[in-house]
Every structure is written in C-alpha cells, then in structure tokens.
Amino acid sequence: GAGSAMGPFQMLKELGAHIIAVDIDSPKLWKRLIEEVKYNSAGDISFPMKVPYTGQEGQALYEQCGANMITDTPAVRNWMMEAVPELCQGKRVTMGAYAYLDSEWHVRVNLACDAIMSGVMDSYGADKVALHYLPTPTDAYVIPEPAAHAIKYHHDTAPMWQKGLEVALGPMGRMVPNKPELLKRDDGQDVYIMDGLVETQGPNYALAKRIQQWRAILARQQGARVCFHVAPATATQSVIHNKLFAAAYGGSHYFKPVEIFYQEFSSAVCGALLINDIKNPTSCSNPDVEIKHGIMAWLGKKAFHGGFLRVPYKFSTIGEVAAIIFYWNQAKANFSKFLGTGTGKAAAGTMALAVAYFSYNLTLA
C-alpha cells in the first residue's frame, strides 16, 4: 500500500529514503509515486514490474508497474525476498502494511501483506527486519491505569445534555458509559481492558486488524522490531466516502477528548513515531526492551489515539448521536441565515433538529 493516504511515503521520500514500493498496478498511481521521487526527492524508489525493465519511460513504464497483492501474492513475495537482500545489503529493512479495501477484501489484502512480510522476515532474518503497522483506535486494548481514570473523569464531567441522552438512550444501547474492565494478572498486576470495537465497521475490519496484532506479537517474539502505535481516527477519503462515518466524524469532537485529524497531520506524527521506533534503542519496538504488564499491554502502549482510548462513552454507541449533531449544526446554520435572531433562532433550531433526523435516516437508507 505504498500510495496509502496514511502511509509514510511522503515523509520517506522527503528524507531521501530508498523506498521499496508495492501497490496495485494503476498507471495513474505509479505516475504519481515515481515522479514525486524523481522530481521532488533525494531518495530512490524500487518497485515490481510485469515485464523486465528495458529502459521504458513515461506512460510505457507506468503501465508495467505494480502488482495485485491479492492475486499475485506468491510472485510479490518472491520478488520481495530477492529484492530486499540485494537492495539492503544486510542492513535493516522496514516493511509497513498500509493497504486498505472495503468488506472482506480488507481481510484478503491483509493476509497477502502478512504472507509477503513474514516471507521476507523468514528469509532475510528477523533481527534485520522491522515491521510497521497503523492499528485502529476502534479496537479492544489493554490501557494504562491513568487512561482508565481519565475515562471516569471525562464521564463525571460530561455536559448535562450528554448525561440526559445517556438516561434516555442507554436502554436502547446508545450513549453507554465506557467502563474498562479491571483484571488481575497471574503475577498480581492490575490491567484494564477497554472494548473500543465499533460494530458498524463490521467483522471483516476487526479480523483484518486482529491479523496485524497476531503478526506483531509473533514477530516481536522472533526478534524483529515492531512499530505498533495506535493511529488516530483520520478523515481520509477511504473513510469519509461513507456518508454516515463522515457525519459521525463531523460530530465526534463534542465528546471530549475525541479529535478527528486530517491525514497530513496524522501521517506526520505517525512518521515521527516510526523513526523513533527504528532508531531509539529504548523504544518499546525493540524486542530486547522489557514490557510491563505483558505483551498485550504493548499493543496499546504510546498510542496516538486522538482521545479514543479515553472517551467517556463507548464509541460504538455515540456514532449515531454524533452524526445527528453534525446534521443539526449544519441545518441550524442554514436556517439561522434566514430566520434572524430571538424567536427565529429557536424556530431554526427546531427545524434543524427535524432536518438532522431526516438527513440521518436518509443516510442510513
């Protein structure tokens, strides 16, 4: 997924890295990737081709670049297993899984990425490999005690309208308080488990992310560096093309401390964390660094979660409310332009609420 919106391609090419890029065989995509490195970078780029390179340039080159990681998994895996030793010459290589597809295709592409990355790790040596993942905050994690206390604090200090909705909608499974479960490990240490899964993302999304967690744990135990920091909810095109998710994102900031970021900011911070994980010997990505509270606590350690791991209500139960708030604010702003102040604004608010309700239901339809 070299061309992924959340991947570190832009940062790496600006820093002059040698990028081994794998992505779908789209001439438009490869034109962008190759020309950005060629004309706006001190770095280099290597990539698989459908035919041997014989000096092709321009469109003739772009049409032969890339591969379908799902249908061409063995070929891409073999190419990577040959390319990495040749290009890296015994130095550490960092491989990231950034590909995304909707529905069950997300599971398929993650399995393909896993087969490719594990193949390189086995052939090149786990100690010379670093794996990079961008896990979702909408998952189940072991969270530190301060985060659990912050969740309780944000719930205790939530505005009255949220408390009212909690009473009214709680029996219907909405506005459910986020209460991490306290468990005691065999060694006597307390750990908190937070269920951040969002049902509307579906089982395929959850399974795809779980595959990444499983590989991250195994790879670290095998001696590889694993850069695994929870990335924040980000308004990328792959997410906001779903109108319901876009509306929910638009109203999420009313549930403190949640913030939705744009991809430029998220990518920059995640890129900085990646560099730290690769270069810092005391980083928790280093398999020689001991992790307190066990390996599962490592998955949520140093998370850049945008407030999701401290939200006062289960995020799976506030999406519809956040979406209605978003539509209500949009409609209210439009009606207020025509109805003036005072009573007019009250009428605008009432009409906006009705429009928000119907807009939300139209989105579901």
Side-chain angles (χ1 to χ4, degrees):
S4 166
M6 282 292 290
F9 179 86
Q10 291 295 328
M11 178 200 70
L12 293 176
K13 64 103 175 174
E14 290 169 3
L15 293 176
H18 189 139
I19 303 169
I20 304 175
V22 178
D23 213 320
I24 192 70
D25 50 346
S26 164
K28 181 179 179 181
L29 170 67
W30 285 102
K31 180 178 187 297
R32 174 174 68 84
L33 297 181
I34 293 172
E35 291 188 355
E36 283 191 9
V37 173
K38 184 176 181 179
Y39 300 117
N40 192 29
S41 169
D44 298 294
I45 184 170
S46 300
F47 44 85
M49 294 182 63
K50 302 173 186 176
V51 298
Y53 179 69
T54 56
Q56 300 98 319
E57 295 288 343
Q59 193 65 23
L61 173 63
Y62 309 143
E63 289 177 354
Q64 301 301 328
C65 296
N68 187 318
M69 287 189 292
I70 296 177
T71 59
D72 303 327
T73 307
V76 176
R77 184 175 186 265
N78 291 338
W79 180 84
M80 284 287 292
M81 290 168 64
E82 293 177 2
V84 167
E86 180 181 342
L87 295 171
C88 298
Q89 296 292 312
K91 297 179 181 179
R92 179 183 290 124
V93 61
T94 301
M95 296 184 293
Y98 314 117
Y100 175 84
L101 292 171
D102 287 333
S103 67
E104 82 276 5
W105 291 104
H106 194 35
V107 177
R108 294 172 187 263
V109 77
N110 267 277
L111 284 171
C113 288
D114 185 72
I116 295 165
M117 294 165 72
S118 62
V120 174
M121 191 171 65
D122 291 341
S123 63
Y124 191 56
D127 60 325
K128 293 182 288 186
V129 169
L131 303 185
H132 183 217
Y133 297 100
L134 295 172
T136 176
T138 54
D139 207 332
Y141 293 104
V142 174
I143 61 173
E145 185 176 358
H149 291 327
I151 290 171
K152 183 178 184 305
Y153 169 79
H154 288 302
H155 181 260
D156 292 343
T157 59
M160 290 303 297
W161 66 267
Q162 290 185 11
K163 294 292 185 67
L165 288 176
E166 177 184 333
V167 173
L169 302 179
M172 293 180 282
R174 296 293 174 263
M175 296 293 290
V176 176
N178 187 9
K179 295 181 178 180
E181 185 179 359
L182 174 62
L183 300 177
K184 190 172 290 291
R185 285 166 40 94
D186 291 340
D187 59 8
Q189 296 187 60
D190 291 338
V191 294
Y192 291 86
I193 311 294
M194 196 200 87
D195 177 11
L197 288 164
V198 175
E199 289 87 347
T200 52
Q201 289 182 314
N204 291 305
Y205 185 81
L207 177 57
K209 291 301 180 182
R210 193 67 63 247
I211 291 170
Q212 293 183 351
Q213 288 193 11
W214 293 335
R215 177 56 62 190
I217 292 171
L218 288 173
R220 193 178 192 279
Q221 291 175 341
Q222 292 168 354
R225 275 188 178 250
V226 181
C227 314
F228 194 97
H229 290 289
V230 174
T234 304
T236 60
Q237 190 57 41
S238 64
V239 175
I240 62 175
H241 80 280
N242 182 310
K243 292 183 179 179
L244 181 56
F245 279 129
Y249 273 20
S252 293
H253 64 279
Y254 287 97
F255 296 90
K256 294 181 179 180
V258 172
E259 290 289 345
I260 306 297
F261 298 105
Y262 288 105
Q263 69 182 56
E264 294 81 4
F265 181 79
S266 294
S267 295
V269 176
C270 290
L273 290 171
L274 170 62
I275 293 174
N276 176 73
D277 281 344
I278 295 172
K279 295 295 186 180
N280 184 356
T282 65
S283 168
C284 59
S285 67
N286 185 346
D288 296 327
V289 173
E290 183 181 357
I291 300 173
K292 295 181 179 179
H293 305 299
I295 193 68
M296 297 307 295
W298 165 67
L299 296 174
K301 191 175 178 63
K302 295 183 179 178
F304 175 40
H305 53 80
F308 275 64
L309 301 191
R310 299 187 176 213
V311 66
Y313 297 94
K314 287 189 174 184
F315 200 76
S316 60
T317 70
I318 64 174
E320 294 88 344
V321 177
I324 290 175
I325 292 173
F326 171 76
Y327 287 130
W328 180 74
N329 282 327
Q330 279 196 324
K332 182 180 177 182
N334 291 331
F335 282 124
S336 294
K337 294 177 183 178
F338 299 101
L339 298 178
T341 60
T343 306
K345 284 192 174 181
T350 302
M351 287 188 286
L353 185 59
V355 170
Y357 175 78
F358 285 114
S359 297
Y360 172 72
N361 280 281
L362 285 173
T363 301
L364 291 180

